[in-house]
Amino acid sequence: MEPVYAIYVDEHGETGGDLTSPQQPFYVLFATLVRAGSPYLALERSLREVAADPATRLGLRHLAPLHAVELYQCTGLYRSLPSGDRLGVEEAVEAFLQITDLVAQGV
């Protein structure tokens, strides 16, 4: 039986018509493959734990997508936070580093 993988792909950056333009300096494509079944479930559980920390700190009743710019600019789902608080850049970066470490380790 061949293994089955869950695939996640996300992009971020300026995506206008001219990717060589200095007005569009960054474009990042992130992808990961995680073996389906228990490896995927373990990674999902660990990622939810990381996401729960900022959600709890900000007074959210549910997990919201962790988008750095939304976290520290209070936009998107973070526009009206029950706590009235916001994460600093350092706190948002720490959450993202935890996430990339978990994915890199293949939890």
Side-chain angles (χ1 to χ4, degrees), residues 78-95:
Y78 299 94
R79 184 176 307 275
S80 297
L81 298 171
S83 68
D85 203 359
R86 67 174 60 193
L87 291 186
V89 174
E90 297 83 11
E91 294 167 298
V93 168
E94 179 59 32

Side-chain angles (χ1 to χ4, degrees), residues 47-71:
L47 292 174
R48 285 183 177 277
E49 289 172 7
V50 170
D53 185 52
T56 300
R57 182 178 174 316
L58 296 171
L60 299 175
R61 291 184 291 266
H62 61 303
L63 296 181
L66 294 174
H67 294 217
V69 70
E70 291 179 358
L71 280 171

Side-chain angles (χ1 to χ4, degrees), residues 1-95:
M1 180 178 261
E2 292 188 29
V4 176
Y5 291 89
I7 302 170
Y8 175 80
V9 178
D10 195 11
E11 58 79 26
H12 175 74
E14 303 297 328
T15 58
D18 181 8
L19 294 178
T20 61
S21 168
Q23 298 300 315
Q24 302 182 73
F26 300 105
Y27 180 80
V28 178
L29 180 65
F30 171 83
T32 187
L33 296 172
V34 180
R35 193 166 185 152
S38 59
Y40 175 84
L41 295 173
L43 179 60
E44 180 185 28
R45 187 171 42 255
S46 296
L47 292 174
R48 285 183 177 277
E49 289 172 7
V50 170
D53 185 52
T56 300
R57 182 178 174 316
L58 296 171
L60 299 175
R61 291 184 291 266
H62 61 303
L63 296 181
L66 294 174
H67 294 217
V69 70
E70 291 179 358
L71 280 171
Y72 59 81
Q73 290 183 353
C74 289
T75 58
L77 294 173
Y78 299 94
R79 184 176 307 275
S80 297
L81 298 171
S83 68
D85 203 359
R86 67 174 60 193
L87 291 186
V89 174
E90 297 83 11
E91 294 167 298
V93 168
E94 179 59 32

